Amino acid sequence: MIMDLRPTHFASFFRAVHDCDPFPWQQALVDGLADSDAWPDMLDLPTGTGKTAALDAAVFHLALRFDAPAKAALRMAFVVDRRLVVDDAYTRAEKIALALRCALGGDPEGYGAINEVARRLQELAGEDGRPLVVQRLRGGAPLEHDWARTPTQPTILCSTVDQVGSRLLFRGYGVSDRMKPVHAGLLGVHSLILLDEAHLSEPFRQTLDAVQRIGGAKFHVTVLTATPGASAERPLSLTPADRTHVELKKRIEARKTTSLGKPIRGEGDEVVAKAFADEARAMAGRLREHGVASAAVGVVVNRVALARSVFEALEDDGNADAVLMIGRSRSVDRGMIVEKLTPFRTGEEARAEAKPLFVIATQCLEVGVDLDLDGLVTQAASLDALRQRFGRLNRAGRPVDAEGAILARAKDVAKKAHDPVYGDRIRLTWEALQGVAEGSQVDFGAEALPNCLKGAGIDTDSLAAERPDAPVVMPAYLDLWSQTSPRPAVDPEIALFLHGAERVAAGVAIVWRSDIFETDLEDGAETNLKELIRLVPPRAAEAVEVPLWTVRAWLRNAKDRAAEISDVPERETGAREASPTWELGRRAFRWAGTDDPRTRVIDPDELRTGDMLIVPSEYGGCDTFGWKPHSADPVRDVADEAAKPYRGRRCAVRIARDLVRSDTQWERVSAMLVAEDVDGNELVGHLLEALSFKTSEEDASSGPVLRDTREPLEVLQRAKGRIDVYFPYGRQGGAILVAERGIKDVPASTIGVPATEDDAASHTSSNPVLLDDHGRHVADLAERFARTLGLEDSADDLRLAAYLHDAGKADPRFQTMLSGGDPWNRPDGRPLAKSGRSWSPSAWVRSGLPQGWRHEALSVRMARVHPRLAEAHDPALVLWLIGSHHGQGRPFFNFVDSTPERPAPCLEVQDWQLPPDQAGPQSLAFDLDGADWPSLFEDLKRRYGIWGLAHMESILRLADHRASEMEHATEEDRGS
């Protein structure tokens, strides 16, 4: 059954997902999209009125336009300007995605709007996709690109300005140089960016405007805000029907009586923390007296260090639980926090039975958290930040005497006070509130406060946080950013264009590992570390993002300076002192992927924006709640937990001294590892037996157990096929067991084999794959993607480029490499695209291939003499897509090959005759109608646009990923 989907069906779709009707403004948004396909510039709506339902509207709009997706948005990015502990936008997006998946397999008799939306989105995604994919981007990790699967996959991304902005500008933080063009191409075309509470993101909004205006990128931008502070040409606000809506009327008119406390005098955090803690306890007592037995009282402050001090003062309160929320935390540690907050979500009926709770937080509570507090104690801040915080107080408009309090440090409201985050707006806001207070009280209701200030003639825009400007985006900057391989020597710092010149640069991601020690970071240890991390790569879920200057100070043991940060972009505090050569501080291992030269041990002075660092657990600096620079306690290693979503595809387990609880156990384990001819599958059972061996208390290791290996070992018993054993620690130090095909009965992560990013994945598969077969497979997918996206003019060229992209693998030397480096093992038949054996660097050397040799460069030479190139509408585009399909050569290659051999017959050519004077794209002698390879790049960017060209590259490359993934999968994988 096929339904004629119309805007009037949105209410039915909404009810099927959320079990309630949309608010009038939400239906009005869908009606407007159906009429014009144009998003409003701004959703100007009070806090608590359901702004995240813009995601529902975007998904429904895409379903309306599924036969012309260029008119809607295939990728929707919900962007905030801070790190979140609880991300309710992500939770909402997951709820939509789950409802759509369930609708696909639903009862035909119950067919309705949600079934039709699911069917249409599934048609866009293709047979191997889902109606909707939802992903967080919270600190990128190389080789972790779950969302970037196909160019037609409907996707919701929940992320930060740093992550989305850096990817859009070809400098994705945590993204390898090879994949940067793919991420930029996907975000720059057929996308929607919903910028939530953008009062600190004005520089990013300006940059987005410039990228569209002078760069030709094709995406929509809509600002979602309760505190606009700026005009918009096409805003959407509450309708008259919203103001009379039963539920919205309660939320808008809820009274939020707030007292202004006397300024706190005293410099130390302990003094200030005591004042906040005392006020929170007193407020909880008053709420109990007024009949609120299970009160949730929030305490929001402006600095992470102060939040920790308040938490320490309240965590032992016998009458209530306490939870600390700081955005600088690890995703895998957040489950406990979410569980404690659950009874106090908006509309949650279980709050009456819950234990009272103190929620101590930083700015991470201002957005993304659908929390309904009974009381709120907040540190003075700019007016827009305060309104966001009070949006969490009696959010549902319940019939309770909710109350608030604003406390200020005396030094923050003194004359000429200037805060690194809020500038002079704390003082100005404090003075304005004092001026309108009645007996030191102000109503912070959603509309009561703006009306009060307006009645007093106060300009609320002047009290909002300063909105810094981005530097002017010059066309030359866009050209420089588009060069990703190699990056240009002059490379404009993109953090300036995301946060403004006065705000601190984006952060550095830190991962703690208990099987790495400070002695491992000495000179000469890089080879072992690179192999160790390659086998167990870092995941974004185990990382904490911290400002670059903060990490640098922490590594130098300047812990007081490292603690003084907030959860929003801010001005750097303190001078940028250069470290003396005899005081370089502790070192760290920077991970950027196996093949990246940036992967190495570095000193603090070598840190760069967007780095991912791996440090020993013994360094300290983090606990269950997040960043804690003063702590010297070893940090719990959570790599196994972070890798759980990927076990269905690949599973690795570390066996090292740090996890074994006694010397006797370690003796038993190490004896197994040093044995000759270790069989991985048998070893797992023996290790489990050894680790369950009982020991006396006196024999137990005195150090803390930083991770537990029993659970991952038990999982590894269900491995698909062989378990390989590696010894990156040395045989005496432990081993890593790897099931390359993953675990049975465990849902495989959506992450695919990154065939154009990781050379090993490009060369190998579960079984040998003929070059001809692989070319046809990729060509079919690339053409389907292109036609689905409406790229009829380029679909044939994309198909041809996909068909020929791996032609260079027909070089006899490459075929020898696939055979383990032994020419006698080289197959006599048609050449292979992938072998069925593991890739080996030594096989490359034995094959005679030059260092850095790229098969795609030879593919360009071969394509130029292929008969079918004459059929191309744009031969230059075909050659470019072939040469750049591994993300290299944008615009230079870095190898010389003076002795190429005649390629083996393949791809409809029985005898490749390459002209000896025809140079490949790696040479400056390359000539195509008078253009060398870099000039070809510039011409194509001019004709297709910087992001348009990257988007077409992503079509071919993602077709290659998916084809390689399906070729790699066994029948058992497909069945699971």
Side-chain angles (χ1 to χ4, degrees):
M1 183 186 303
I2 296 178
M3 179 179 182
D4 181 18
L5 196 66
R6 298 181 181 180
T8 52
H9 295 128
F10 177 66
S12 172
F13 165 75
F14 198 92
R15 280 193 298 271
V17 177
H18 304 290
D19 197 26
C20 63
D21 288 321
F23 293 143
W25 75 261
Q26 295 163 349
Q27 180 65 57
L29 174 59
V30 171
D31 293 340
L33 291 171
D35 287 341
S36 66
D37 295 320
W39 274 83
D41 297 327
M42 178 183 292
L43 300 185
D44 180 9
L45 302 161
T47 299
T49 53
K51 290 189 294 294
T52 51
L55 294 172
D56 300 77
V59 169
F60 191 82
H61 180 224
L62 178 59
L64 288 175
R65 298 289 182 264
F66 85 110
D67 55 347
K71 294 182 179 180
L74 276 159
R75 287 163 291 278
M76 306 142 228
F78 196 93
V79 180
V80 297
D81 62 350
R82 66 207 68 197
R83 280 79 187 163
L84 303 178
V85 176
V86 179
D87 187 351
D88 282 322
Y90 176 78
T91 303
R92 186 184 192 96
E94 285 251 285
K95 188 176 183 180
I96 299 170
L98 177 61
L100 290 171
R101 289 200 298 273
C102 293
L104 279 180
D107 182 0
E109 295 299 322
Y111 190 89
I114 190 169
N115 305 77
E116 181 62 16
V117 171
R119 185 193 69 78
R120 292 180 177 212
L121 298 191
Q122 181 67 61
E123 187 170 322
L124 283 170
E127 294 180 2
D128 60 337
R130 298 178 183 175
L132 183 67
V133 165
V134 177
Q135 278 294 323
R136 283 192 183 101
L137 298 181
R138 294 282 187 266
L143 304 184
E144 191 173 298
H145 311 305
D146 302 49
W147 68 277
R149 286 183 52 76
T150 77
T152 63
Q153 172 66 62
T155 304
I156 293 178
L157 301 174
C158 296
S159 191
T160 62
V161 167
D162 287 326
Q163 289 298 327
V164 170
S166 65
R167 283 166 164 81
L168 179 66
L169 297 181
F170 292 87
R171 292 295 179 269
Y173 297 148
V175 180
S176 71
D177 285 348
R178 293 194 188 188
M179 284 295 289
K180 285 179 170 65
V182 172
H183 287 233
L186 293 179
L187 285 171
V189 178
H190 301 326
S191 296
L192 166 69
I193 296 177
L194 298 170
L195 193 54
D196 190 29
E197 289 309 331
H199 51 282
L200 290 180
S201 301
E202 180 62 16
F204 182 47
R205 191 200 62 76
Q206 294 172 358
T207 299
L208 291 173
D209 178 65
V211 166
Q212 291 175 298
R213 183 167 31 84
I214 65 176
K218 293 178 172 57
F219 54 81
H220 306 279
V221 180
T222 294
V223 172
L224 282 60
T225 183
T227 54
S231 61
E233 291 184 9
R234 294 179 296 109
L236 185 139
S237 304
L238 294 180
T239 68
D242 289 303
R243 298 185 181 279
T244 58
H245 189 279
V246 175
E247 186 63 32
L248 283 180
K249 184 178 174 64
K250 288 192 301 181
R251 298 185 185 189
I252 295 170
E253 297 180 356
R255 184 172 177 80
K256 303 180 183 184
T257 305
T258 301
S259 62
L260 306 178
K262 293 182 179 180
I264 304 167
R265 304 193 180 277
E267 289 296 318
D269 275 353
E270 292 77 11
V271 174
V272 180
K274 183 178 184 302
F276 277 90
D278 289 346
E279 179 62 30
R281 289 193 188 94
M283 185 177 289
R286 291 193 295 272
L287 288 167
R288 281 196 300 271
E289 292 174 1
H290 292 135
V292 185
S294 300
V297 176
V299 182
V300 185
V301 296
N302 302 338
R303 291 290 187 280
V304 171
L306 179 56
R308 281 198 171 274
S309 296
V310 176
F311 173 71
E312 290 166 3
L314 287 172
E315 65 176 329
D316 294 328
D317 189 287
N319 297 316
D321 287 335
V323 64
L324 175 64
M325 294 174 60
I326 57 176
R328 314 286 181 179
S329 59
R330 302 187 291 192
S331 296
V332 297
D333 287 329
R334 295 172 182 170
M336 175 270 294
I337 298 173
V338 173
E339 183 179 350
K340 284 193 174 183
L341 294 179
T342 297
F344 301 100
R345 297 298 189 91
T346 304
E348 180 59 53
E349 297 179 358
R351 67 185 300 135
E353 288 77 37
K355 186 175 181 179
L357 181 69
F358 291 117
V359 182
I360 302 93
T362 57
Q363 294 93 340
C364 66
L365 183 128
E366 291 179 15
V367 297
V369 188
D370 191 12
L371 196 62
D372 191 359
L373 299 170
D374 302 288
L376 176 65
V377 183
T378 175
Q379 187 174 4
S382 63
L383 181 64
D384 51 345
L386 290 176
R387 289 178 66 184
Q388 283 298 114
R389 296 174 191 183
F390 277 94
R392 274 70 197 158
L393 180 61
N394 195 11
R395 190 174 179 85
R398 293 172 291 121
V400 297
D401 293 326
E403 63 172 290
I406 303 175
L407 304 182
R409 289 189 179 203
K411 67 176 184 178
D412 291 338
V413 295
K415 287 186 177 180
K416 297 184 179 180
H418 202 274
D419 184 78
V421 175
Y422 302 108
D424 62 358
R425 303 308 165 92
I426 295 180
R427 175 177 60 83
L428 294 176
T429 300
W430 182 259
E431 292 172 354
L433 293 176
Q434 293 281 355
V436 300
E438 298 180 4
S440 77
Q441 289 190 337
V442 178
D443 184 357
F444 257 82
E447 293 197 334
L449 180 67
N451 292 337
C452 174
L453 293 172
K454 184 178 180 180
I458 295 174
D459 178 15
T460 56
D461 291 352
S462 67
L463 305 181
E466 296 176 82
R467 290 172 168 82
D469 291 325
V472 176
V473 178
M474 307 294 289
Y477 298 167
L478 302 183
D479 284 329
L480 289 168
W481 287 328
S482 70
Q483 298 175 31
T484 55
S485 178
R487 294 198 212 178
V490 178
D491 195 16
E493 174 54 62
I494 64 166
L496 303 177
F497 298 85
L498 303 182
H499 301 297
E502 295 184 353
R503 300 290 177 178
V504 71
V508 171
I510 309 176
V511 168
W512 286 262
R513 291 288 177 87
S514 59
D515 55 344
I516 295 176
F517 301 91
E518 190 165 9
T519 53
D520 295 327
L521 299 173
E522 297 173 353
D523 292 332
E526 292 183 1
T527 301
N528 290 339
L529 280 175
K530 185 179 288 189
E531 175 67 3
L532 172 59
I533 305 304
R534 180 189 73 80
L535 292 168
V536 188
R539 301 293 182 185
E542 60 177 314
V544 172
E545 276 192 275
V546 186
L548 183 147
W549 61 268
T550 304
V551 180
R552 189 173 284 151
W554 174 66
L555 289 173
R556 291 174 180 163
N557 286 309
K559 295 178 180 177
D560 287 338
R561 188 162 178 255
E564 196 61 23
I565 59 172
S566 68
D567 269 331
V568 293
E570 60 184 304
R571 297 170 180 84
E572 180 175 347
T573 56
R576 293 193 182 195
E577 73 283 356
S579 180
T581 55
W582 63 88
E583 263 183 37
L584 291 177
R586 299 175 296 183
R587 310 181 88 185
F589 185 71
R590 176 169 59 202
W591 175 251
T594 305
D595 301 327
D596 198 305
R598 293 174 298 163
T599 295
R600 59 186 180 86
V601 175
I602 61 170
D603 294 311
D605 286 335
E606 298 177 279
L607 279 173
R608 295 294 180 267
T609 298
D611 280 350
M612 173 164 276
L613 302 184
I614 301 170
V615 301
S617 291
E618 62 186 356
Y619 277 12
C622 181
D623 67 2
T624 302
F625 294 106
W627 180 242
K628 193 176 184 181
H630 287 101
S631 173
D633 295 334
V635 179
R636 188 171 70 94
D637 183 324
V638 294
D640 295 332
E641 295 171 55
K644 281 183 180 179
Y646 305 91
R647 285 176 176 174
R649 184 72 59 189
R650 180 181 181 276
C651 184
V653 178
R654 297 164 293 161
I655 308 297
R657 182 66 182 88
D658 70 279
L659 60 87
V660 177
R661 298 168 186 264
S662 72
D663 293 334
T664 302
Q665 282 184 334
W666 179 246
E667 288 175 8
R668 292 165 63 88
V669 168
S670 60
M672 298 175 190
L673 299 179
V674 299
E676 296 294 331
D677 300 324
V678 175
D679 180 271
N681 298 71
E682 294 180 3
L683 181 61
V684 173
H686 296 321
L687 287 171
L688 280 168
E689 185 178 336
L691 290 172
S692 63
F693 181 75
K694 302 296 183 183
T695 59
S696 64
E697 274 190 34
E698 293 78 12
D699 188 40
S701 172
S702 59
V705 177
L706 301 178
R707 57 190 174 93
D708 181 14
T709 197
R710 282 196 59 84
E711 189 270 343
L713 273 175
E714 289 168 352
V715 169
L716 199 59
Q717 287 183 303
R718 306 197 307 275
K720 302 172 189 171
R722 186 181 73 244
I723 297 175
D724 296 314
V725 184
Y726 299 88
F727 298 95
Y729 313 103
R731 279 187 176 258
Q732 298 294 332
I736 296 180
L737 283 61
V738 181
E740 290 289 354
R741 289 174 49 206
I743 304 301
K744 300 174 183 176
D745 305 321
V746 175
S749 162
T750 56
I751 192 169
V753 179
T756 67
E757 178 178 15
D758 185 333
D759 284 332
S762 173
H763 303 159
T764 63
S765 186
S766 298
N767 300 289
V769 179
L770 290 176
L771 196 155
D772 298 67
D773 293 343
H774 180 64
R776 283 190 289 268
H777 193 180
V778 178
D780 289 343
L781 285 172
E783 182 180 19
R784 176 169 71 80
F785 292 158
R787 297 200 186 281
T788 299
L789 295 169
L791 297 175
E792 297 296 336
D793 293 341
S794 300
D796 290 337
D797 286 350
L798 276 159
R799 179 179 182 86
L800 180 57
Y803 180 60
L804 299 173
H805 78 285
D806 267 353
K809 289 183 176 181
D811 187 306
R813 297 169 299 174
F814 191 89
Q815 295 297 305
T816 299
M817 185 276 297
L818 292 181
S819 303
D822 184 354
W824 295 103
N825 288 333
R826 195 166 68 201
D828 296 327
R830 309 291 286 179
L832 299 176
K834 303 173 187 293
S835 71
R837 59 192 302 161
S838 299
W839 180 76
S840 166
S842 60
W844 185 281
V845 175
R846 291 194 301 271
S847 72
L849 287 169
Q851 183 177 3
W853 183 88
R854 303 302 312 175
H855 71 270
E856 59 268 34
L858 178 56
S859 296
V860 171
R861 290 188 64 200
M862 294 170 66
R864 293 188 69 176
V865 299
H866 196 285
R868 289 182 57 188
L869 187 66
E871 303 170 6
H873 300 289
D874 189 346
L877 175 64
V878 172
L879 295 177
W880 174 261
L881 294 175
I882 291 171
S884 62
H885 84 266
H886 274 274
Q888 304 244 14
R890 295 184 100 247
F892 299 111
F893 291 93
N894 61 350
F895 75 96
V896 175
D897 185 11
S898 58
T899 59
E901 298 185 25
R902 176 180 292 183
C906 63
L907 300 171
E908 306 174 28
V909 176
Q910 299 307 311
D911 186 17
W912 286 98
Q913 296 284 345
L914 299 182
D917 59 343
Q918 184 197 83
Q922 76 276 13
S923 170
L924 292 178
F926 176 87
D927 180 26
L928 182 69
D929 299 329
D932 59 14
W933 190 252
S935 299
L936 182 67
F937 185 31
E938 295 305 315
D939 177 62
L940 290 169
K941 286 191 295 183
R942 178 182 56 80
R943 291 196 284 125
Y944 292 96
I946 291 172
W947 280 269
L949 181 61
H951 183 244
M952 283 195 282
E953 292 175 39
S954 72
I955 292 173
L956 189 153
R957 295 184 63 187
L958 295 178
D960 195 3
H961 287 198
R962 300 289 73 76
S964 297
E965 181 183 32
M966 288 183 270
E967 291 160 355
H968 182 75
T970 63
E971 289 300 323
E972 182 179 21
D973 297 326
R974 296 187 186 100
S976 64

